[in-house]
């Protein structure tokens, strides 16, 4: 008998339980391996699982990067869920970056991206992306241990043109459970970057990652300081 939608949803949540353990005690490669192997299930069950932050991100795009031909990087693109929402909103010039081959393969099937960059974003400059390439960078649901750490912010920001915007969401449970990701740590980092002319916070609004997972969606604007 074929699995029902409810069966697949239960399977998704059961398999998703593995991620916090891998984030705490495993390696980044193990986390990426989960996303690679479970890409199809993730893609199928994203909406049913209640992930609800994407409309908030799209609204920020429409306000802070309204030109539909803006060159956009979907960082940690996964299977292309944020990219699909932006496409439906009229954006048409996007590249995708992700560390999991399985995720990028499904993103490619959606035929909404121009270029695909398979890499793990760390503190070092991404070799395939020149500084100042993009008008906007987006990243949905990716800040967290063994995913995107706060130390990767300069790596992502350097990809932006001066005055370009970085739009992302952030989960409160990550901030509460991991000191390195606390709101205080993030605010101090933002203040430091602003004092150095790297970026400034344009907006930070409450939103929900899932109905029981509050957080915020934010917009950073790239400054004109060179990132070494």
């Amino acid at each position: 008998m074929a699995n029902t939608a409810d069966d697949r949803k239960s399977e998704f949540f059961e398999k998703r339980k593995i991620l916090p353990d891998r984030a705490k005690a495993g390696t980044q490669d193990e986390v990426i391996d989960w996303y690679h192997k479970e890409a199809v299930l993730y893609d199928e069950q994203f909406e049913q699982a209640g992930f609800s932050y994407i409309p908030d991100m799209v609204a920020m795009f429409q306000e802070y990067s309204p030109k539909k031909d803006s060159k956009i990087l979907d960082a940690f693109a996964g299977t292309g869920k944020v990219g699909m929402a932006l496409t439906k909103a009229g954006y048409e010039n996007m590249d995708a970056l992700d560390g999991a081959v399985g995720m990028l393969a499904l993103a490619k099937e959606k035929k909404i991206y121009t270029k695909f960059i398979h890499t793990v974003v760390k503190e070092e400059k991404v070799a395939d992306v020149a500084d100042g390439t993009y008008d906007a960078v987006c990243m949905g649901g990716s800040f967290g241990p063994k995913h995107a750490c706060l130390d990767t912010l300069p790596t992502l920001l350097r990809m932006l043109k001066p005055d370009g915007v970085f739009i992302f969401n952030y989960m409160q449970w990550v901030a509460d459970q991991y000191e390195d990701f606390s709101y205080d740590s993030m605010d101090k980092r933002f203040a430091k970057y602003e004092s150095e002319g790297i970026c400034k916070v344009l907006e930070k609004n409450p939103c929900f990652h899932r109905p029981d997972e509050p957080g915020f969606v934010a917009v950073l604007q790239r400054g004109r300081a060179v990132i070494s």
Side-chain angles (χ1 to χ4, degrees):
M1 182 181 294
N3 286 346
T4 66
D6 285 343
D7 289 337
R8 293 289 280 169
K9 183 176 178 181
S10 296
E11 182 183 2
F12 173 79
F13 279 116
E14 189 61 34
K15 290 188 174 181
R16 188 175 181 248
K17 291 178 182 177
I18 297 170
L19 277 177
D21 291 336
R22 289 193 176 181
K24 287 180 179 179
T27 66
Q28 188 173 42
D29 286 343
E30 289 174 322
V31 170
I32 292 170
D33 184 63
W34 184 93
Y35 283 106
H36 170 67
K37 290 178 178 177
E38 306 301 339
V40 172
L41 184 62
Y42 177 94
D43 195 54
E44 288 178 356
Q45 293 300 318
F46 186 90
E47 285 80 13
Q48 293 90 328
F51 293 104
S52 55
Y53 59 89
I54 292 179
D56 295 283
M57 293 185 64
V58 173
M60 290 293 197
F61 259 93
Q62 291 171 322
E63 181 172 356
Y64 290 101
S65 189
K67 293 182 179 179
K68 296 302 190 284
D69 61 349
S70 296
K71 189 171 179 60
I72 298 168
L73 176 68
D74 188 356
F76 294 78
T79 63
K81 294 297 185 181
V82 175
M84 280 297 297
L86 289 172
T87 298
K88 290 176 182 177
Y91 294 91
E92 56 189 25
N93 187 12
M94 292 181 289
D95 296 340
L97 180 154
D98 202 89
V101 173
M103 290 283 193
L104 279 180
L106 291 181
K108 191 171 186 177
E109 290 178 5
K110 293 178 172 62
K111 301 184 185 304
I112 59 174
Y113 298 107
T114 302
K115 180 180 178 182
F116 296 86
I117 304 164
H118 175 226
T119 193
V120 178
V121 177
K122 298 185 178 181
E123 295 176 49
E124 301 83 13
K125 172 180 163 59
V126 175
D128 292 336
V129 182
D131 290 0
T133 296
Y134 295 99
D135 298 299
V137 173
C138 63
M139 191 173 79
S142 298
F143 274 118
K146 310 303 184 340
H147 289 66
C149 66
L150 293 181
D151 288 338
T152 63
L153 271 170
T155 306
L156 295 164
L157 289 167
R158 72 188 303 149
M159 299 175 183
L160 286 167
K161 299 174 184 177
D163 300 325
V165 292
F166 174 44
I167 298 172
F168 64 97
N169 81 307
Y170 205 82
M171 296 161 283
Q172 184 176 316
W173 71 265
V174 172
D176 290 344
Q177 291 187 25
Y178 302 96
E179 185 177 353
D180 289 347
F181 292 89
S182 70
Y183 286 167
D184 183 59
S185 294
M186 175 168 275
D187 288 342
K188 287 178 178 177
R189 193 175 293 258
F190 288 165
K192 177 177 182 291
Y193 292 159
E194 184 163 359
S195 71
E196 295 171 346
I198 291 173
C199 70
K200 64 180 179 181
V201 179
L202 294 183
E203 192 161 352
K204 188 166 71 170
N205 290 338
C207 79
F208 282 84
H209 184 66
R210 293 179 60 245
D212 58 347
E213 296 178 3
F216 65 81
V217 59
V219 183
L220 305 183
Q221 184 178 53
R222 177 73 169 99
R224 296 179 179 273
V226 174
I227 297 175
S228 59

